[in-house]
Amino acid sequence: MATYTETSYCNPTIAAVWPDPALAGPDREGFYWCYATDDEHEPLPRRRFKAARSRDLVSWELNPAGAECGAFPQPIPNYGRYRACWAPDVRRMGSAAWNLYGSLKFDDHQETGPDGHGIFVARSTTPIGFRNPIILKRGPGFTVIDPCFYRSTRLGRNFLFWGSGHAPIKGQELTADGTAFVAGSEPTDILSPDPADPDDRLWEGVHVIEHPTTHDPIVLASKVDTWKGPYRTYAFRGAPHPLDPLRSRPTCLLAENDVWNRCGNAFVLPDAIGQLWIFFHAVRGDAIIPGTEHIDAMGRRGVPLRQMCMERLHFDAAGLPYVNGGSPSSTEQPGPVVLRA
């Protein structure tokens, strides 16, 4: 007989290099899955999007059987010259349908011009084993990265958002299965940076959620420099339609404290009883990835060691999300409630 079990956790929940975390599940075996960026600055072996699994959202098995090479067991067409699998977003679309959205730097990458980084979708019948990616869009530089899937409960329609590289965050409607843009649809700017303002010159890592009772859309986005900092996660009250420009002022959801900084690229998932948890990467102090001491990372020596942290997500009387203390915890905390068979 299945029973509910309470857990506890202490950040980081994944101590390995685990930037841009995305979560999905549980699957038919009761596992939650977590995926992350893999790029040239991280320890070998290279993987086509790192994957981990857990039964409680707290203790994670990294690179489990079948995912030793990542979420894609086979090579990705037009990908291999560079090592840049960035910012995945994985969704369970049905009992045997999983979609993985992600960003790639392709073999024919252009430093300038329209064929820079791009976003894609791939399908699988399980949480790993993705193949045959469909390229959805490419663009100049870093402007077409960080895809985020969103299904509007009110409209019963799917959308995809993306953006970085000092360009606007854009959105566009997806088909019912989430594998293509709706015919005749066009990208729409929903959030534009201000290049003249050093604190507002870049938005990225967008993640769209809904208020758990009102189903009002809420947009989470990060700025301004994931390597150098400060890098924080903000929340916007969504527009009436998912593709309308955001008009509300952002509120800071995750900021630095004495232990953690560069808190961004958030992803939200409910536990077994519907409590919402926010997962994100953060850097403990000035920790860097071992072996990167020689790299100049935006004026700092070494690439920041981004680890996965989590916090319970609450909502205030105005309907906006918050975490206790407004920053990552560093002591043991009550964790998600999960099902135990």
Side-chain angles (χ1 to χ4, degrees):
M1 181 178 179
T3 58
Y4 291 105
T5 300
E6 296 180 350
T7 65
S8 64
Y9 73 94
C10 186
N11 287 321
T13 51
I14 294 183
V17 184
W18 210 263
D20 311 328
L23 291 93
D27 63 15
R28 286 178 291 186
E29 297 179 1
F31 285 106
Y32 293 92
W33 287 82
C34 185
Y35 310 82
T37 284
D38 182 272
D39 70 22
E40 61 182 342
H41 303 298
E42 301 178 19
L44 293 171
R46 67 184 287 175
R47 294 185 169 90
R48 293 175 286 270
F49 297 99
K50 290 178 287 194
R53 67 180 184 179
S54 170
R55 291 195 182 276
D56 61 8
L57 293 169
V58 173
S59 299
W60 293 91
E61 177 190 3
L62 308 189
N63 315 309
E68 296 90 346
C69 295
F72 282 79
Q74 302 297 325
I76 298 173
N78 197 23
Y79 174 80
R81 177 182 177 187
Y82 305 98
R83 183 183 176 190
C85 289
W86 291 348
D89 184 331
V90 181
R91 305 293 173 135
R92 189 173 185 180
M93 306 296 288
S95 60
W98 299 69
N99 285 5
L100 186 154
Y101 302 88
S103 317
L104 290 174
K105 185 176 183 179
F106 297 92
D107 291 345
D108 58 356
H109 175 83
Q110 296 178 348
E111 291 299 329
T112 59
D115 290 327
H117 293 77
I119 54 177
F120 70 89
V121 60
R123 304 208 93 186
S124 177
T125 58
T126 67
I128 53 177
F130 293 93
R131 61 186 70 244
N132 302 322
I134 301 166
I135 308 304
L136 295 171
K137 191 170 294 291
R138 295 178 69 174
F142 301 94
T143 62
V144 185
I145 63 172
D146 295 3
C148 164
F149 174 90
Y150 169 63
R151 179 165 179 81
S152 169
T153 300
R154 288 176 176 170
L155 300 178
R157 291 151 60 186
N158 300 328
F159 300 87
L160 193 72
F161 299 89
W162 68 88
S164 183
H166 309 284
I169 300 295
K170 296 178 180 290
Q172 190 170 347
E173 187 172 353
L174 289 169
T175 55
D177 66 1
T179 63
F181 292 121
V182 168
S185 66
E186 294 290 338
T188 301
D189 296 353
I190 69 160
L191 174 61
S192 296
D194 181 355
D197 184 348
D199 294 327
D200 200 33
R201 59 186 171 82
L202 181 145
W203 288 101
E204 64 182 14
V206 66
H207 184 63
V208 185
I209 63 174
E210 291 187 344
H211 188 283
T213 56
T214 66
H215 301 297
D216 291 331
I218 296 166
V219 177
L220 310 182
S222 301
K223 68 173 184 177
V224 62
D225 192 328
T226 188
W227 280 21
K228 183 179 179 181
Y231 194 65
R232 301 163 181 163
T233 299
Y234 293 81
F236 295 81
R237 191 185 309 280
H241 188 281
L243 297 181
D244 289 342
L246 297 176
R247 302 298 185 190
S248 70
R249 294 180 60 84
T251 60
C252 189
L253 180 60
L254 286 165
E256 64 275 5
N257 57 32
D258 290 342
V259 177
W260 295 100
N261 60 81
R262 282 163 279 185
C263 317
N265 291 74
F267 199 99
V268 177
L269 190 77
D271 64 13
I273 61 172
Q275 297 178 133
L276 293 180
W277 296 85
I278 184 168
F279 301 82
F280 54 95
H281 69 234
V283 179
R284 188 192 295 269
D286 286 324
I288 64 172
I289 300 172
T292 67
E293 295 84 354
H294 65 289
I295 297 174
D296 183 351
M298 305 296 289
R300 294 190 180 206
R301 302 305 295 179
V303 176
L305 173 55
R306 294 174 291 178
Q307 301 171 310
M308 189 174 81
C309 297
M310 64 185 288
E311 296 296 333
R312 174 80 184 277
L313 193 67
H314 305 274
F315 287 84
D316 63 20
L320 287 171
Y322 70 93
V323 301
N324 288 331
S327 61
S329 61
S330 55
T331 59
E332 188 171 8
Q333 302 291 319
V337 175
V338 295
L339 277 173
R340 291 290 194 195

